[in-house]
Amino acid sequence: LATGSLHSFVRELATVQTFINFALWNEPLFGRHLWYLGAIFYTLVIVYWIRKANAVRWLTLLTPGLLILSLILGKYCIVLLGTQVSYLYVRNFFLMGLPYFLIGHLLFEHRERIFARFTNRVFIACLLLFSISTVVERYVLEINQVNASNDYYISTPFLACTVFLRFAKLRCETQGTLVTVLCRIGKRYSTWIYLLHPMLIGAADFITGERLHFLRPFATF
């Protein structure tokens, strides 16, 4: 529907390179954001067998290296390598699925000790710090014209952990009705929200149009 040609759509799918990218790099056959499904499937299979071998801790030790490599090939590829690297080599199970899954596993394993120290003041301080540092990173890369098109900055994992820990610490059942409803939505429907969110962005683009394009971020949100 988006391309206007079913024939060209099928022709693009029916290539060897398409299936190689799908098998190796989790590039979806359609819907670019659906790389996540392949990545999380591969990650779960790998972690399953690593747990069988009692080697999760050793795999976790690789996490910083995987994050650094994803930055070198990702947002900082133009700075460090002098060229734009395809998102295929970054947005996959190896450089995004595994490190973030292992970070989540580590936080869960030590959750009580982390929650005891992660007060509201710490949350606010970290939220401000990593939000500002993300904007600064983007600004510096933009003014030097080296802001690669890939996904995240140095600050992003820290900002993600900050937001994640704040919501993980919530005792949803003891909160008000609104928080309880939001928690239920998050637990039950987060995957569907992710799968369908580009449709909502497309609808927001259609509604705002060219004349009201400045309202796009608000309409999308």
Side-chain angles (χ1 to χ4, degrees):
L1 290 174
T3 60
S5 172
L6 180 62
H7 180 263
S8 62
F9 175 72
V10 173
R11 187 174 58 192
E12 287 179 14
L13 287 185
T15 63
V16 174
Q17 191 61 48
T18 296
F19 285 94
I20 290 175
N21 290 343
F22 174 72
L24 290 181
W25 309 114
N26 308 125
E27 169 73 346
L29 301 180
F30 56 88
R32 181 174 288 186
H33 71 299
L34 299 182
W35 69 270
Y36 168 79
L37 295 179
I40 196 65
F41 175 72
Y42 279 31
T43 298
L44 290 172
V45 171
I46 291 169
V47 171
Y48 173 80
W49 288 108
I50 291 294
R51 287 187 68 180
K52 285 273 189 181
N54 293 317
V56 174
R57 183 171 296 180
W58 293 107
L59 186 63
T60 303
L61 292 176
L62 296 176
T63 300
L66 294 175
L67 289 175
I68 291 171
L69 184 58
S70 67
L71 284 169
I72 293 173
L73 297 178
K75 187 57 78 173
Y76 285 82
C77 62
I78 298 176
V79 176
L80 300 173
L81 305 177
T83 185
Q84 172 72 49
V85 175
S86 172
Y87 68 89
L88 278 179
Y89 307 119
V90 182
R91 195 185 299 173
N92 52 57
F93 76 97
F94 186 59
L95 292 186
M96 290 196 80
L98 272 174
Y100 278 96
F101 185 92
L102 292 169
I103 288 171
H105 179 270
L106 196 65
L107 294 176
F108 181 78
E109 197 174 40
H110 302 283
R111 61 191 181 282
E112 295 304 328
R113 188 169 58 188
I114 294 172
F115 286 166
R117 298 180 179 180
F118 194 75
T119 63
N120 285 335
R121 287 186 178 181
V122 172
F123 164 68
I124 292 170
C126 289
L127 187 67
L128 288 172
L129 173 63
F130 298 130
S131 295
I132 292 170
S133 61
T134 300
V135 173
V136 170
E137 276 187 79
R138 178 181 172 83
Y139 176 75
V140 171
L141 291 173
E142 284 285 354
I143 62 172
N144 289 287
Q145 298 182 339
V146 290
N147 190 19
S149 61
N150 292 324
D151 289 300
Y152 63 88
Y153 301 91
I154 295 171
S155 307
T156 307
F158 302 100
L159 183 58
C161 287
T162 298
V163 175
F164 176 80
L165 285 172
R166 179 67 186 93
F167 283 92
K169 192 178 179 181
L170 280 176
R171 298 293 186 262
C172 292
E173 64 277 1
T174 62
Q175 302 293 320
T177 303
L178 178 59
V179 175
T180 303
V181 170
L182 292 175
C183 287
R184 189 176 297 120
I185 290 171
K187 286 181 178 180
R188 294 184 181 180
Y189 307 118
S190 57
T191 299
W192 284 105
I193 290 171
Y194 177 78
L195 295 180
L196 299 176
H197 82 272
M199 293 177 65
L200 299 180
I201 294 175
D205 286 345
F206 178 78
I207 292 169
T208 54
E210 288 296 325
R211 292 184 178 180
L212 301 175
H213 70 277
F214 59 91
L215 293 177
R216 183 178 183 270
F218 305 100
T220 301
F221 182 77

